[in-house]
Amino acid sequence: MDMSKPGHAMINVPTIQCDNCVKTVTAAVKKVDGVESIKIDLDKKVAHVNFDPKKVKLADIEKAIAASGYDANNVKRNKKAHDALSPCCQSKR
């Protein structure tokens, strides 16, 4: 994770596989109060998130990603949410 400037994080999302995965993770993160923007690099499997550190912690963003069915840094995905994803989005990892 890169915290080179306050309120910016690079979150590893190794289990995303396609544009649908990107849409799901983006929607989940945008629901978190304090998140300003998210851009996901599908090729590198990294989410760049800008947020207000006075409103939200990185751990909360990671938990939102995990709750949507994907791994986020060291936070493991919610299995039930993962199993409900489209077959193309279900990671074999």
Side-chain angles (χ1 to χ4, degrees), residues 1-4 8-12 46-47 51 58-59 62 73:
M1 172 186 61
D2 175 15
M3 293 296 288
S4 58
H8 177 260
M10 291 173 57
I11 301 171
N12 292 312
V46 173
F51 60 97
L58 174 60
E62 292 169 334
N73 287 334

Side-chain angles (χ1 to χ4, degrees), residues 10-80:
M10 291 173 57
I11 301 171
N12 292 312
V13 283
T15 54
I16 63 169
Q17 304 181 118
C18 65
D19 288 333
N20 285 332
C21 298
V22 170
K23 289 176 188 171
T24 300
V25 171
T26 298
V29 171
K30 284 186 173 182
K31 289 180 185 175
V32 177
D33 186 39
V35 168
E36 296 165 358
S37 66
I38 177 173
K39 183 172 185 337
I40 298 176
D41 183 327
L42 182 57
D43 293 330
K44 293 182 181 175
K45 297 183 185 285
V46 173
H48 295 268
V49 183
N50 291 310
F51 60 97
D52 182 343
K54 293 177 185 150
K55 291 185 178 181
V56 66
K57 293 179 173 45
L58 174 60
D60 297 322
I61 299 168
E62 292 169 334
K63 287 177 190 173
I65 294 170
S68 72
Y70 300 90
D71 293 347
N73 287 334
N74 294 321
V75 180
K76 294 298 178 193
R77 65 185 172 229
N78 175 290
K79 182 170 178 3
K80 189 173 182 180

